Structure formats: C-alpha cells, structure tokens
Amino acid sequence: MLGRTLREVSAALKQGQVTPTELCKKCLSIIKKTKYLNAYITVSEEVALKQAEESEKRHKQGQPLGDLDGIPVAVKDNFSTSGIETTCASNMLKGYIPPYNATVVQKLLDQGALLMGKTNLDEFAMGSGSTDGVFGPVKNPWSYSKQYRERQRHDEHGDSHWLITGGSSGGSAAAVAAYTCFAALGSDTGGSTRNPAAHCGLVGFKPSYGLVSRHGLIPLVNSMDVPGIFTRCVDDTAVVLGVLAGHDPKDSTTVQDPIKLPMILGEMDVSRLCIGIPKEYLVPELSSEIRSLWSQAADLFESEGAKVIEVSLPHTCYSIVCYHVLCTSEVASNMARFDGLQYGHRSGIDVSTEAMYAATRQEGFSDVVRGRILSGNFFLLKENYENYFVKAQKVRRLIVRDFMNAFDSGVDVLLTPTTLSEAVPYLEFIKEDNRTRSAQDDIFTQAVNMAGLPAVSVPVALSNQGLPIGLQFIGRAFCDQQLLTVAKWFEKQVQFPTIQLQDLMDDGSLVLENGKLTSVSLT
Amino acid sequence: MVRAFNPRTQEAEAGGSLRVRGYPGLQNEFQDSQSYTEKPCLKKQNKKEMWARALRVRFPVPLDRGRGFASKAGPQGKVQEVRQGTHSPRLASQGAGRVPAAKIEHLERLALVNFGSREAVARLEKAIAFADQLHALDTDGVEPLESLLEDRCVYLRSDNVAEGNCTEELLRNSHHVVEEYFVPLPGNVSLPDMVNKTPSPTAE
C-alpha cells in the first residue's frame, strides 16, 4: 500500500482491501523504526489511532469523506495544531499548545486525514539544512539507502557521514521519503519546501501566494510565506492542493478567485508548450551533474515538440540580496510578538517588563534567530529605512517584472535547477554559518517567493553518488494546475527510482522489484 | 531523441571587468538623502552582439570559473556587468564596515535581543555588507512593492462578532495569570545597559 498513489490507497480503503487502522499502525511502526532520522518532534500516536478508528467507521458505512479519508499525513511544526504541542523547533515555544488548528490543518482533518505528528525543522523555519532546531538536525533517509551506501567507500559506512535533508522543512521531507506518511505539509518562504524535496527525492510544491491560507502558520515573512506540500508523486500533490486551496475568511491575503475542484491533472499536449530557460540561473557554482540534467530535460521537452527558449531575468543576481533584506526585516517584526507574556517561554527575571522581555528572548531564541532579528532591525532603523528596506522593495518590483516579462514573451513554464548540488554531509554543511548557507542554497528558489509564483521541484535522477537531484518548474501566478500538469508529464518521462531503504527492506516492509515498489507487508 | 549537449565556452566579453563598488557601510557615517551616490561606472558593450552570442548556445560554460559573467540590462536599458564571485554567490568581497558601539546598543534596545558576543556583531556587519550590494542597482522611478496583491481588493469581513468566548484557552498558555489578567512587571524601569552582557537578575 505504501508505494501506491493517494487515489489508489483511497480506492483500496473504500473497497475494504485495507483499513485505516492498519495503515495507521504500519506508518507508526515505520516512524519508530526510522526514529534515528529525527524527522518528527511530536508523534501524535493516540490522536492518529483515534482518527483512524473514526475513519474506519465511515468507510464501513460507505461514507468516506474524500480521497484523503484515512490517509496518514504529517505537518511541519510551525503550523498550529490544537491540543498538540507546536514548537517551531525553538525553546521559545517549547511546551506551547495552541488552542486552534491552522486552517490548512483543519482542512486536512475535515477530510479525514490521519495526523501522524509534527515534523522537525530549522528553528522558526530559518535555515536551509534543517540542522538548526533545538531538537537536533534531521537526517536524510537517502544517507541510509542502498543506492547511496553501495557507492561509498567501505570505511565511510559509519553514521558520522550522514547527509542533510535540506531545509527548512526537512522533517516533513524525511517523513514522506521514509514512507511514514503519504503527504506532509511544509512551509515555503525562500525555498523551504522545494530545497528538501530535491534533496530527498520528492515532489515539493509551492503554491501561488494567496492560493492557500496562512492562518495558523507561524509567520516568518508575511509577504512571501506559503504552506508547501510534499508527496511522492505529482498526482498526490494535486489531491492535497485540491483540499487546501481556496479563500479563507481568516486570512485576508487569500484571493477569492474560484478554483476548479477536484483538481484532476489531465493529459497535456507538449507540442503546444513553451518552456523558458533563464540564462542567469546558469551559475559557476552549479554542479556539472545538475547542469547536465537540466540540459537533458530541456532537450527532452524539445524532442517532444515543445518550444524551448532562453529567457533573461536580468535582476537575478540581486534577488538573493533583496530577499535577505526583506526577510530579515519582516522577521524582526514578526518575532516581536514573542515576549513571554501571553504564551511561550517566560524568563524568571522579575526586575522590569523590558528586562523580562529581553531575557525571555535571549533564552528562547537561538543565535540564528537573534542574528536575523538584529539585522532586520538594523535595516528598519529610521536612517536606513529608505536605503535598505524601501530599496529592497523597489528591487523586488524589478524582479517581479522580470518574471512577468518572461511569461509575457510567450513562455508557459520556466525550467531551472532547484539546488546547486545534491545533499551534502552534515559535517560539510556546518562548516559555514546559517546565513551564508541560506544565501547559497536559496539561490534558485527565493526569487519565486518574491514574485509569489507557483513552483514545483520534481525529482529527476540519481547523481553519481546515488543521491536525488530535482529540477524546478515555475509557473504563472494562479496557474498552479497547469504547472502541475507539466510536472506530471515530466515525472512520467523520467521515472525516478524508489528509495531502497535497507531497514525497511530487511524486515519485508518494502518489497522492490526492478527498483519499483511492488508491495508492502502490513504486518 | 536526445540532442547532444554542446557546451561552448562563453567568450570573455570579460575584457574589462566592471567591479561593482560596494559601499563602505558604516565606516563613514554620512548618509546623504540618496545614499547610493556611488554608481559603478558603466562600460557600454555592444549589446546586440552579446545577446546574439548568448542565444546561440543554450548553456555557455564560463571559461574560467572565477570570471564567469552574466550581462544584464538595467531598468533603463543600461548595461551593467556584475562580476560573479567564485564562492557563494555574491558575498561581498569588500571588507565589512564596523558598526559603532552606540548603534549596537540602540539595536539591542529596539529589538530587546542581545548580540551576546563579538561574533554576532561581526555577523551583522557581514549581513550589512551583503545588503549593500543593492545600492549598485539603479531604481529611479521604481515604486516599492509592498504586497503581491496590490492590484486586488482584499477581502474584509463584515464587522460582526462571529467567534470568541475563549478566555480560558487563551489564558492557559501564559505562565503568569491572575484572574483574567496577564501579569507583566513594572514597565517604568529603564532597560539596563546590555552591550555584550547577558542580563542578570541583579541588573541595575
């Protein structure tokens, strides 16, 4: 069952071939087996089993709620979940139990999905490695895959060379990649969903800004944040998006455009497609393997009749700088709510309000978060406001215009790499600080957030090291369905291999034949 | 059918490299009203030639990694060439300016967050130097983009009470509550000097 698509499992549940409780228990056992990945901060076992019970009742009565009824999912720990601890991987919110569900979580639950738990992340979603949370780093399941291990030298088989998942939604990515759930929610501010998706061999989707509600998503950058979706195939993303998309009265930044539901991805005539390749994205730091795959992908589209043209996004090199200023500025503002008074950690200082606030924030926030707050406050100082913050807003408009011009020239979808390289070992990654890494790793992904466009990272192939590489498709605003249709076609062409996780293969949980998942034992 | 990929090297239009001059940051504390008076000098290239060359090959590989170029047109069609760094993209190679101690203190008071160490201040300086690269770009006549939804009418609910009455839930998450009040501390005590010190319970 685990290797099937959401719709297939849903059909199997409806026909009684498997029950929600069996699925739930299987996923819970895999979570236990893969605990070393540190993908989950909180495993909501009781909640999930109870939900499974209710789902089973509905299925027995022949009244399932929809395609997600009885399907295990996971949620990144910066989405508020009523009654379940929500920490953002920070000391500031350790022990914080929200009194409400984020809208996207509520929508999943209303459709009968089973909440497996809250996944690990970089603290407050700041980072590109999922290494900077207080619950420790997340390990990439591919570090333990047969495909990777058999290409390593024998003496590197120890656990010290494990790879990062990418970030900041690494826990969600690891959870889906390791088969602990069928879909997971992440958030995407600068690439936080697409980056780990590329490193973990998953489909990582960032919807258009304004399509999916942010109510309940603990905000990082209000003008760029969106909830993101992780799945193992594009069709599954469409199923989840169909549930999540839509106007929310509680989030005034969601648009009121009607959306055609259910979101079913049809066939596509590739010969009518125009693919744009932004030439500024060809940077020297890009690994030659990814460059080659990018080129092959473009050739593939062309060979099927699509028009493939080079486009220019002239302000690309300023994009990451602009993002840096806007991000830190908005972060400084959003983090101001954490003062210890109404929720979250509160320091024991009792001298004065300000001293208590300061001590609380000192104790609750890590260096990374504090660093961004201080940078942001610097850019927002009266004397710097025009020169940095407003300047960055102007540059942002130029970047948005770049994309508009590219699309206006007839391009339907842009094709770019998602990351500079495959996943790197943790020990390599931590040699540089968080800000430097973010500036490097977000390079292909953050411009999309600034323009609010939909984008998806699709796994393409394994590198020479046996690790996943993904490519990114960027679509026009609110043309998410069209974007996913292109991605689906591409996914079918590349036939990305299944991860061969030794642990799960050894005990018969995953059975593969010719690299494809054929069956999963539910005992 | 997969076309053979033919990487052609991009010729070094590189000839005269145009360094983007960064800003001294806060070393000189002058700020004129524009503050980006220093503009990189512009070398006019034969734009048509460059574009034609770029379009001919799909993925030109730079001759020398350290001197890879991307030419781009600025908003008024001016051509600016920016030198791409060898390492992480566009980390300013210019020295980071020092931030004076008074400003550090000011920031700590505003943010109610400590720097805590000399390294943290150094990180801020690097962040500022990184951000300074923006000043090289001419944005005359460009309006700041505040919201991606600027050409829409954002939905506003009608002013009716639809939810609420959740006092208990809201108070539950606070550490110090008396009846239905959150309890802060005296607010008329000024923040002690916090530069490079972690606040202690006996701070004056």
Side-chain angles (χ1 to χ4, degrees):
Chain A
M1 275 303 128
L2 291 179
R4 303 255 178 269
T5 68
L6 272 176
R7 287 211 174 95
E8 285 169 348
V9 179
S10 180
L13 285 167
K14 287 180 186 126
Q15 289 159 23
Q17 289 167 23
V18 65
T19 69
T21 311
E22 284 170 337
L23 260 184
C24 184
K25 285 195 173 141
K26 184 62 193 175
C27 287
L28 285 171
S29 91
I30 296 185
I31 292 176
K32 285 199 181 80
K33 275 203 193 87
T34 54
K35 200 157 172 214
Y36 54 87
L37 295 176
N38 203 18
Y40 285 83
I41 294 178
T42 307
V43 179
S44 46
E45 186 165 336
E46 282 173 28
V47 168
L49 286 169
K50 185 153 176 295
Q51 290 166 344
E53 216 181 287
E54 284 160 14
S55 175
E56 210 162 306
K57 272 194 214 126
R58 288 192 292 269
H59 278 95
K60 282 208 175 90
Q61 290 164 0
Q63 288 169 347
L65 293 166
D67 282 333
L68 284 182
D69 201 356
I71 305 286
V73 298
V75 166
K76 186 175 179 184
D77 207 16
N78 60 353
F79 286 92
S80 300
T81 41
S82 177
I84 301 175
E85 191 184 8
T86 298
T87 64
C88 294
S90 175
N91 281 321
M92 186 59 86
L93 288 179
K94 241 187 195 167
Y96 168 66
I97 300 182
Y100 69 104
N101 278 323
T103 299
V104 288
V105 173
Q106 190 63 54
K107 283 185 169 179
L108 288 176
L109 296 178
D110 286 345
Q111 286 289 306
L114 314 178
L115 183 58
M116 292 290 116
K118 308 298 291 297
T119 58
N120 205 350
L121 58 154
D122 278 309
E123 182 160 347
F124 281 111
M126 296 185 201
S128 60
S130 301
T131 52
D132 280 325
V134 297
F135 296 101
V138 184
K139 298 184 181 173
N140 192 328
W142 284 85
S143 318
Y144 306 97
S145 69
K146 205 159 152 227
Q147 290 108 324
Y148 176 64
R149 299 210 108 160
E150 62 194 11
R151 285 177 169 98
Q152 297 309 298
R153 294 200 315 272
H154 186 71
D155 55 12
E156 279 180 18
H157 262 210
D159 199 31
S160 52
H161 293 271
W162 56 270
L163 310 156
I164 57 162
T165 48
S168 60
S169 315
S172 286
V176 177
Y179 290 93
T180 66
C181 58
F182 284 86
L185 287 185
S187 67
D188 196 311
T189 306
S192 295
T193 293
R194 291 159 284 154
N195 180 299
H199 286 318
C200 295
L202 300 172
V203 176
F205 178 66
K206 175 212 170 292
S208 300
Y209 181 84
L211 188 65
V212 180
S213 171
R214 288 181 299 112
H215 174 76
L217 166 61
I218 294 170
L220 190 64
V221 181
N222 298 66
S223 65
M224 296 187 215
D225 284 349
V226 290
I229 303 172
F230 288 97
T231 55
R232 293 191 282 270
C233 70
V234 178
D235 257 334
D236 290 356
T237 294
V239 172
V240 179
L241 182 63
V243 168
L244 299 183
H247 175 68
D248 180 17
K250 292 183 185 171
D251 179 357
S252 61
T253 59
T254 51
V255 299
Q256 289 180 283
D257 301 351
I259 303 164
K260 210 171 75 171
L261 292 173
M263 195 163 294
I264 299 187
L265 306 178
E267 291 301 312
M268 185 188 62
D269 184 3
V270 185
S271 63
R272 298 177 61 180
L273 204 60
C274 179
I275 305 278
I277 310 279
K279 64 179 195 204
E280 289 86 1
Y281 280 47
L282 180 66
V283 295
E285 297 86 357
L286 181 64
S287 90
S288 53
E289 277 183 302
I290 300 188
R291 188 169 67 228
S292 163
L293 281 173
W294 187 16
S295 175
Q296 286 174 50
D299 289 342
L300 174 66
F301 277 102
E302 205 163 41
S303 70
E304 293 290 325
K307 193 164 147 214
V308 179
I309 60 173
E310 202 175 66
V311 296
S312 177
L313 301 174
H315 299 95
T316 297
C317 74
Y318 294 102
S319 179
I320 186 75
V321 185
C322 175
Y323 173 77
H324 161 72
V325 174
L326 292 176
C327 178
T328 47
S329 303
E330 292 215 36
V331 159
S333 169
N334 278 321
M335 295 293 124
R337 72 190 69 198
F338 297 107
D339 54 19
L341 202 52
Q342 293 168 300
Y343 45 75
H345 172 69
R346 177 173 171 144
S347 147
I349 301 275
D350 58 0
V351 175
S352 71
T353 300
E354 281 202 356
M356 186 274 278
Y357 286 178
T360 297
R361 291 155 72 80
Q362 167 76 15
E363 294 160 18
F365 289 143
S366 69
D367 283 345
V368 171
V369 178
R370 295 203 327 265
R372 291 208 192 185
I373 294 173
L374 289 162
S375 299
N377 275 114
F378 177 84
F379 298 133
L380 292 172
L381 286 174
K382 244 195 292 208
E383 75 226 29
N384 293 330
Y385 194 79
E386 276 293 321
N387 303 329
Y388 288 93
F389 184 66
V390 177
K391 179 76 176 174
Q393 287 184 316
K394 293 179 181 177
V395 175
R396 185 176 181 179
R397 187 178 292 283
L398 293 176
I399 288 164
V400 173
R401 269 192 209 158
D402 279 356
F403 279 107
M404 293 304 108
N405 290 338
F407 287 120
D408 285 344
S409 69
V411 166
D412 295 305
V413 156
L414 294 168
L415 170 64
T416 77
T418 312
T419 53
L420 285 170
S421 72
E422 63 205 0
V424 299
Y426 174 72
L427 294 174
E428 255 316 297
F429 186 78
I430 53 175
K431 285 184 183 159
E432 294 276 8
D433 72 33
N434 183 291
R435 189 188 63 81
T436 311
R437 282 296 179 210
S438 297
Q440 294 166 342
D441 299 335
D442 287 345
I443 184 133
F444 298 124
T445 49
Q446 35 76 25
V448 170
N449 292 81
M450 292 219 279
L453 302 172
V456 61
S457 175
V458 180
V460 180
L462 296 183
S463 70
N464 290 332
Q465 297 276 313
L467 295 174
I469 291 178
L471 289 177
Q472 174 178 234
F473 292 93
I474 304 171
R476 294 176 203 237
F478 300 105
C479 292
D480 300 53
Q481 187 159 358
Q482 186 201 36
L483 177 69
L484 287 176
T485 310
V486 176
K488 181 177 169 178
W489 179 87
F490 182 70
E491 171 191 64
K492 199 157 160 221
Q493 309 303 308
V494 298
Q495 298 282 307
F496 182 76
T498 312
I499 182 174
Q500 293 170 22
L501 265 181
Q502 208 57 54
D503 287 342
L504 299 184
M505 283 161 64
D506 285 345
D507 69 1
S509 293
L510 301 184
V511 177
L512 288 106
E513 226 173 67
N514 302 325
K516 291 273 172 286
L517 212 50
T518 54
S519 72
V520 173
S521 137
L522 287 174
T523 49
Chain B
M1 182 214 11
V2 176
R3 279 236 216 103
F5 172 44
N6 177 20
R8 295 249 303 269
T9 56
Q10 184 173 14
E11 284 119 55
E13 290 131 21
S17 75
L18 285 165
R19 249 199 145 77
V20 172
R21 270 183 269 150
Y23 286 85
L26 288 176
Q27 275 164 350
N28 325 338
E29 287 204 63
F30 81 95
Q31 305 271 358
D32 69 12
S33 62
Q34 292 294 310
S35 194
Y36 43 92
T37 47
E38 263 189 293
K39 285 192 168 62
C41 45
L42 301 172
K43 189 167 181 178
K44 301 252 180 334
Q45 288 275 322
N46 184 339
K47 196 166 64 162
K48 199 169 162 192
E49 209 176 286
M50 253 175 358
W51 281 98
R53 233 176 305 168
L55 284 171
R56 228 183 293 135
V57 251
R58 177 164 286 146
F59 293 149
V61 174
L63 243 181
D64 174 343
R65 284 197 149 219
R67 297 170 76 211
F69 271 84
S71 62
K72 50 202 81 24
Q76 272 85 37
K78 290 198 275 257
V79 176
Q80 300 174 0
E81 274 187 316
V82 176
R83 184 174 162 175
Q84 293 187 2
T86 45
H87 271 287
S88 45
R90 291 144 287 273
L91 271 190
S93 47
Q94 298 83 346
R98 309 298 295 254
V99 180
K103 184 126 317 169
I104 299 285
E105 243 185 84
H106 184 44
L107 281 174
E108 285 183 329
R109 266 203 183 77
L110 280 180
L112 285 183
V113 161
N114 244 357
F115 275 92
S117 67
R118 183 62 222 158
E119 282 82 41
V121 178
R123 277 199 289 268
L124 171 69
E125 288 161 355
K126 279 207 208 101
I128 298 170
F130 189 64
D132 281 339
Q133 294 170 88
L134 278 183
H135 300 137
L137 190 53
D138 184 357
T139 52
D140 280 341
V142 180
E143 282 299 302
L145 184 91
E146 281 170 7
S147 165
L148 291 164
L149 305 174
E150 59 187 0
D151 20 321
R152 290 170 181 265
C153 239
V154 168
Y155 171 81
L156 287 177
R157 308 195 268 223
S158 54
D159 193 13
N160 299 321
V161 174
E163 284 175 37
N165 269 330
C166 48
T167 319
E168 255 190 63
E169 285 102 319
L170 293 177
L171 291 174
R172 203 176 294 155
N173 275 310
S174 174
H175 286 265
H176 200 3
V177 161
V178 168
E179 292 179 16
E180 289 190 350
Y181 294 90
F182 295 110
V183 182
L185 293 158
N188 56 354
V189 180
S190 70
L191 195 66
D193 181 40
M194 277 168 52
V195 176
N196 290 332
K197 282 192 281 212
T198 24
S200 69
T202 54
E204 296 290 291

